[in-house]
Amino acid sequence: MFCGDATSPGYSDCAAQMGLFAIASLIPAMLALILMAAAFATPVIRRNTELRAQTLGYALVAWGIAGFTYILGGLPSL
């Protein structure tokens, strides 16, 4: 997608970089998934609306970091 044609020069380096950043974006994405599940499944968090909003806010930040990391992997190397 970002690397262009498979026959272009530097394609393998670009694909390797994208793979590395895709794996690195899994860490905040899994954190966001766990936080969202906790916000909806844990009875203590469900009762406390302030804590639930804070947990969902942190999940949103983690999703943003995961997306940013994934997009950053597609940018050309310097």
Side-chain angles (χ1 to χ4, degrees):
M1 167 164 93
F2 291 113
C3 295
D5 189 22
T7 59
S8 63
Y11 176 80
S12 62
D13 293 335
C14 179
Q17 175 183 334
M18 283 186 67
L20 179 68
F21 276 86
I23 291 170
S25 71
L26 283 177
I27 296 167
M30 293 306 292
L31 174 65
L33 187 63
I34 290 168
L35 286 171
M36 287 182 69
F40 290 108
T42 307
V44 174
I45 296 176
R46 285 176 48 194
R47 280 192 298 257
N48 188 344
T49 56
E50 184 178 320
L51 184 59
R52 186 177 188 180
Q54 188 177 19
T55 304
L56 290 173
Y58 287 141
L60 185 63
V61 169
W63 281 122
I65 292 170
F68 176 74
T69 305
Y70 185 74
I71 296 298
L72 190 65
L75 297 176
S77 298
L78 295 177

